[in-house]
Amino acid sequence: MREWIPVPGTAKARLVEAAVHQFEVAGYEAVNVVELAAKASVTTGALYHHFGSKLGLYLLVRDEMEKRIVERMAGAAAAAGSRGRPAVRAALLVAFDAAVRFGVCRILGEPPPVERDDPVRAELLPLLPKRLAPAAAMLAAAWRSALLAVAGGTPSPSARASLSYLLDPDGGP
């Protein structure tokens, strides 16, 4: 069993569950460690024991969600032809749908609190011609903006349609 997956009902599991909810609702900066621990029915000491810090807990949650998203992107790109516009479009729309379904739009949309590589950008790079490598960062940013729109109250079908419009080579309505 992977180490991050806590035994259901344990303090660690309750902290992860509360963290996903709190970070999604409020964003990393606004989450208070005391309130987070209280929502999980544990002490702040339990949070520090299991994760070292609020940042440690956040990065665990974000990393796991990004891994799940990237796995889905790879599958969608492979199903769409492995490279080029169709693969990029499929990867980003499947990733958008998964983030909405998992309820982690703010978590994955907001910039991480520490400097790190963007796994979504990295997943897009091999799908693009080398001369268009800068587009990977731009496309990842558009995807994250669509997620933040949902986190801010935009209905997910509207945000998805807007993202799809940006990815449409014909620029259709």
Side-chain angles (χ1 to χ4, degrees):
M1 175 157 56
R2 291 168 55 177
E3 184 179 323
W4 82 270
I5 302 173
V7 175
T10 63
K12 189 174 184 179
R14 292 192 313 271
L15 278 163
V16 169
E17 186 177 315
V20 170
H21 176 74
Q22 292 296 106
F23 290 135
E24 181 60 23
V25 169
Y28 174 78
E29 290 298 325
V31 169
N32 177 291
V33 173
V34 173
E35 291 172 12
L36 176 58
K39 296 258 188 219
S41 300
V42 301
T43 64
T44 55
L47 185 148
Y48 292 113
H49 169 73
H50 291 293
F51 304 103
S53 64
K54 176 176 102 170
L55 178 62
L57 177 54
Y58 176 83
L59 291 176
L60 175 119
V61 167
R62 185 174 176 124
D63 288 347
E64 183 56 34
M65 290 300 120
E66 285 177 334
K67 284 177 195 168
R68 291 178 185 193
I69 294 297
V70 166
E71 287 172 0
R72 282 159 178 78
M73 289 176 72
S82 297
R83 286 185 54 87
R85 247 184 244 272
V88 168
R89 185 175 195 283
L92 287 172
L93 292 177
V94 164
F96 177 86
D97 293 342
V100 169
R101 189 172 53 255
F102 296 155
V104 292
C105 293
R106 184 179 314 278
I107 292 170
L108 296 179
E110 71 179 2
V114 294
E115 188 75 27
R116 56 201 297 259
D117 290 335
D118 182 349
V120 172
R121 178 189 158 279
E123 189 64 27
L124 292 172
L125 270 173
L127 305 179
L128 297 164
K130 286 189 191 243
R131 66 184 172 78
L132 298 178
M138 294 173 206
L139 291 165
W143 176 78
R144 291 189 192 282
S145 292
L147 294 179
L148 285 176
V150 172
T154 299
S156 60
S158 178
R160 188 185 197 280
S162 298
L163 179 61
S164 181
Y165 178 80
L166 292 174
L167 299 171
D168 185 358
D170 298 325

